[in-house]
Amino acid sequence: MGIFSWIILGLIAGFIGSRIVDRQGQGFWLDIALGIIGAVVGGFLFDLFGASSVTGLNIYSMIVAIVGAVVVLLIYNALTGRRRA
């Protein structure tokens, strides 16, 4: 995947993940960054459990990225002290 695809995937995954975790989001740029990191973490977790990771800009990759973004956002919120709304 190209950098533009990672940014789009990260933006969407970060936005959806932030809505799942705390309903308000972290801000545009932080949502993108945490979404991209979440895509990588999701890919690692799915590989760890024997499933395929991010394969491109498709629905399966979006699910992998969202799962990873939720994990990253939960860790981020725990480290920064933010609580769920």
Side-chain angles (χ1 to χ4, degrees):
M1 282 181 28
I3 189 71
F4 187 69
S5 298
W6 276 106
I7 291 172
I8 290 175
L9 185 68
L11 173 64
I12 296 168
F15 177 78
I16 293 172
S18 67
R19 298 300 184 242
I20 291 171
V21 172
D22 67 3
R23 308 263 192 277
Q24 72 186 43
Q26 307 299 327
F28 182 75
W29 294 110
L30 192 55
D31 281 348
I32 291 174
L34 293 175
I36 292 171
I37 294 168
V40 172
V41 169
F44 174 75
L45 290 174
F46 274 59
D47 275 342
L48 188 67
F49 292 110
S52 61
S53 61
V54 176
T55 59
L57 197 55
N58 54 39
I59 297 298
Y60 178 75
S61 295
M62 185 59 59
I63 292 169
V64 171
I66 290 170
V67 168
V70 167
V71 169
V72 169
L73 283 164
L74 288 173
I75 293 169
Y76 175 80
N77 287 343
L79 292 175
T80 60
R82 292 190 63 161
R83 303 212 181 238
R84 288 181 58 166

